[in-house]
């Protein structure tokens, strides 16, 4: 089966009425026919559900679909993308441990690493996550490398194969935030990633109607090397050790579960991921190529000829560049005029919607970041971030052309 067919027919639901989607089981608890049965369900010795913080059929269906799509052995859905990032890391890290990460990360993840410092967890940042930058920073305290596949909003692209080789040679896992790439561009496990996280609020949901996150495990990383003693008690789970530890530990106890309703919305959205991404990538490339021909602005998009990532995008993503581009307008005033002159793009802090969204990152998402930190993330005073939607291409191109012309007037 190819991508879109697999999205629709990869797994039939087992609903007794033949429902075409796993319905929303909007309940907190599940009753059982005896105390013994509930005891067995609790002890994972019988199939079934007990309490929706620990498991729910609608959530389970969403997790299975994502695991299948990524080619992983299992997935755990979370209340948000940030929750997924947090849980994926805390399942591994202890006081005294270090993580290596890219400085162009999503702002929330940078802030999270700041929060983790009070628990003795240190993040070491590299300008971009490459094998050459990562290797010299690895020491015996390093427990993971964390990278965004296509940085939001820096739009730098990670060469998963070479980075995962350095990680594995040193016995540490590579965790990839694949939110902006989506499984439509690449399945990171095929290139050596060990854990993949998504903010499902974005492209997976697609309609901008739910906050959600998900963690998928390749099942290939060896946690029993002696570097991760907290996994000793999970050896009986074999390749499922990471997921078992998370599901029975931090995820459950921190209460990071997704609501059944949001899991349902993400499952429905997921079915059109291929169609939307095809359209979004085509629109984004056409828009970037057109903006490139206009005066007074520069554009950054990983799939255009002038991008340093053009070749990597071709070999790793089949030439598709995703849905985000950034435009530098020349000054903050011009950037604001550009944004305010757009007719169709909504001014909003989100990505991955079917509608085109724009934002001025420096005065919003990066408001509290130091100038240096901001520039390392590829955010300047004149940067406009565009999350391209599925509108008709010529409407989008005309809208941006007009807005850019206006931004250049009386400037
Ligand atoms: C949005 C985003 C997140 C956080 O996801 P939420 O669902 O908003 O919590 C994490 N990583 C990336 C790359 C994102 O774009």
């Amino acid at each position: 089966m190819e991508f879109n067919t697999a999205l629709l027919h990869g797994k039939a639901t087992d609903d007794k009425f033949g429902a075409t989607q796993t319905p929303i089981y909007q309940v907190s608890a599940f009753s059982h026919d005896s105390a013994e049965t509930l005891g067995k369900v609790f002890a994972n010795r019988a199939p079934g559900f007990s309490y929706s913080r620990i498991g729910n059929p609608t959530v389970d269906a969403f997790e299975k679909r994502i695991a299948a799509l990524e080619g992983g052995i299992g997935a755990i859905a979370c209340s948000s993308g940030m929750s997924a990032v947090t849980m994926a890391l805390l399942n591994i890290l202890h006081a005294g441990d270090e993580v290596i990460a890219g400085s162009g990360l999503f702002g929330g993840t940078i802030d999270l690493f700041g929060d983790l410092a009070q628990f003795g967890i240190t993040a070491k940042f590299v300008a971009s996550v490459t094998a050459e930058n990562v290797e010299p920073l690895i020491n015996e305290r390093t427990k993971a490398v964390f990278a965004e596949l296509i940085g939001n909003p820096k739009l730098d692209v990670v060469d998963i194969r070479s980075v995962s080789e350095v990680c594995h040679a040193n016995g540490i896992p590579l965790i990839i935030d694949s939110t902006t790439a989506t499984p439509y561009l690449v399945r990171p496990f095929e290139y050596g990633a060990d854990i993949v996280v998504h903010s499902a609020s974005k492209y997976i949901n697609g309609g901008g109607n739910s906050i959600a996150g998900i963690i998928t495990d390749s099942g290939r990383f060896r946690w029993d090397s002696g570097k991760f003693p907290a996994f000793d008690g999970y050896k009986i789970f074999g390749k499922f050790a990471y997921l078992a530890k998370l599901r029975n530990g931090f995820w459950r106890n921190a209460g990071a579960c997704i609501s059944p309703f949001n899991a349902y919305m993400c499952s429905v959205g997921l079915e059109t991921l291929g169609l939307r991404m095809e359209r979004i990538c085509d629109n984004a490339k056409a828009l970037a190529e057109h903006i490139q021909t206009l005066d007074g602005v520069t554009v950054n998009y990983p799939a255009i000829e002038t991008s340093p990532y053009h070749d990597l995008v071709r070999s790793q993503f089949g030439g598709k560049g995703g849905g985000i581009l950034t435009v530098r307008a020349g000054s903050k005033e011009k950037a604001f005029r550009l944004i305010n002159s757009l007719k169709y793009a909504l001014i909003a802090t989100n990505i991955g919607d079917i509608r085109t969204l724009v934002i001025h990152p420096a005065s919003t998402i990066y408001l509290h970041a130091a100038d240096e930190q901001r520039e390392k993330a590829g955010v300047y005073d004149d940067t406009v971030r565009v999350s391209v939607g599925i509108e008709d291409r010529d409407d989008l191109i005309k809208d941006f052309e007009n807005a850019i012309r206006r931004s250049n007037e009386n400037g």
Side-chain angles (χ1 to χ4, degrees):
M1 276 187 284
E2 290 190 51
F3 193 85
N4 290 298
T5 313
L7 276 177
L8 300 171
H9 302 287
K11 188 190 171 289
T13 72
D14 47 13
D15 182 78
K16 63 179 172 186
F17 299 113
T20 53
Q21 276 280 357
T22 301
I24 307 173
Y25 286 85
Q26 189 68 22
V27 294
S28 307
F30 299 82
S31 67
H32 292 274
D33 56 9
S34 69
E36 287 81 0
T37 310
L38 183 55
K40 280 185 188 158
V41 171
F42 249 83
N44 294 321
R45 281 192 283 109
F49 299 93
S50 58
Y51 189 61
S52 285
R53 171 162 52 74
I54 299 167
N56 175 287
T58 314
V59 175
D60 184 62
F62 174 52
E63 291 171 341
K64 289 198 163 89
R65 297 182 88 164
I66 294 286
L69 193 58
E70 289 286 15
I73 59 163
I76 298 182
C78 299
S79 56
S80 67
M82 283 320 304
S83 171
V85 170
T86 307
M87 293 299 129
L89 290 166
L90 291 186
N91 198 32
I92 306 174
L93 301 175
H94 295 259
D97 288 347
E98 294 181 2
V99 188
I100 300 171
S103 56
L105 288 178
F106 177 72
T109 307
I110 301 252
D111 290 350
L112 172 70
F113 281 122
D115 296 335
L116 291 179
Q118 65 192 303
F119 301 105
I121 295 165
T122 308
K124 286 188 170 171
F125 292 106
V126 287
S128 57
V129 180
T130 60
E132 303 73 52
N133 287 349
V134 164
E135 189 151 38
L137 293 185
I138 297 177
N139 60 45
E140 70 284 358
R141 291 185 300 280
T142 312
K143 294 296 164 66
V145 171
F146 184 94
E148 259 165 49
L149 192 41
I150 305 178
N152 168 19
K154 196 177 183 184
L155 304 179
D156 49 340
V157 181
V158 174
D159 182 340
I160 310 170
R161 178 105 56 207
S162 60
V163 175
S164 70
E165 278 167 9
V166 166
C167 288
H168 297 159
N170 289 278
I172 55 174
L174 173 61
I175 306 176
I176 290 281
D177 180 337
S178 194
T179 300
T180 46
T182 83
Y184 178 73
L185 263 57
V186 67
R187 307 207 306 179
F189 296 150
E190 290 175 0
Y191 292 80
D194 299 292
I195 307 288
V196 167
V197 299
H198 285 280
S199 166
S201 323
K202 315 290 172 52
Y203 293 97
I204 287 174
N205 174 282
N209 58 48
S210 305
I211 298 295
I214 192 150
I215 303 164
T216 310
D217 183 10
S218 70
R220 284 201 298 262
F221 189 78
R222 300 298 304 259
W223 302 99
D224 54 1
S225 64
K227 225 176 165 44
F228 301 92
F231 279 82
D232 286 352
Y234 292 88
K235 276 185 183 149
I236 48 162
F237 292 97
K239 64 180 182 176
F240 291 96
Y242 179 90
L243 290 170
K245 180 171 184 291
L246 185 55
R247 208 177 265 290
N248 294 309
F250 237 109
W251 173 82
R252 160 197 294 220
N253 298 331
C257 63
I258 188 176
S259 79
F261 184 81
N262 283 7
Y264 176 82
M265 295 306 277
C266 290
S267 266
V268 172
L270 182 64
E271 299 189 325
T272 57
L273 178 69
L275 272 185
R276 285 184 282 110
M277 285 309 289
E278 187 180 341
R279 172 75 164 235
I280 284 171
C281 291
D282 286 351
N283 273 357
K285 184 148 188 255
L287 188 59
E289 283 171 347
H290 189 76
I291 292 175
Q292 219 175 9
T293 67
L294 303 176
D295 289 335
V297 290
T298 57
V299 66
N300 181 17
Y301 182 64
I304 52 176
E305 295 277 353
T306 47
S307 167
Y309 300 106
H310 181 258
D311 291 346
L312 184 55
V313 162
R314 180 165 294 170
S315 61
Q316 200 171 252
F317 303 152
K320 304 233 180 274
I324 303 179
L325 55 93
T326 56
V327 178
R328 292 192 63 181
S331 69
K332 181 178 174 182
E333 291 66 34
K334 285 185 177 183
F336 274 40
R337 258 203 313 273
L338 194 170
I339 291 173
N340 294 336
S341 303
L342 287 163
K343 224 168 33 181
Y344 303 126
L346 305 182
I347 305 168
T349 175
N350 192 14
I351 58 167
D353 200 313
I354 41 179
R355 286 152 280 256
T356 296
L357 310 176
V358 289
I359 195 164
H360 180 251
S363 63
T364 55
I365 322 168
Y366 284 85
L367 182 61
H368 303 293
D371 284 352
E372 192 199 332
Q373 198 183 353
R374 214 184 277 168
E375 293 191 3
K376 276 187 185 159
V379 173
Y380 303 90
D381 250 5
D382 64 342
T383 303
V384 176
R385 185 187 73 188
V386 185
S387 171
V388 179
I390 63 167
E391 294 90 345
D392 289 302
R393 188 172 75 181
D394 290 346
D395 284 339
L396 279 184
I397 287 178
K398 255 184 250 154
D399 197 16
F400 275 85
E401 187 171 326
N402 276 331
I404 287 167
R405 188 169 353 97
R406 287 200 164 185
S407 78
N408 286 325
E409 283 167 10
N410 12 279

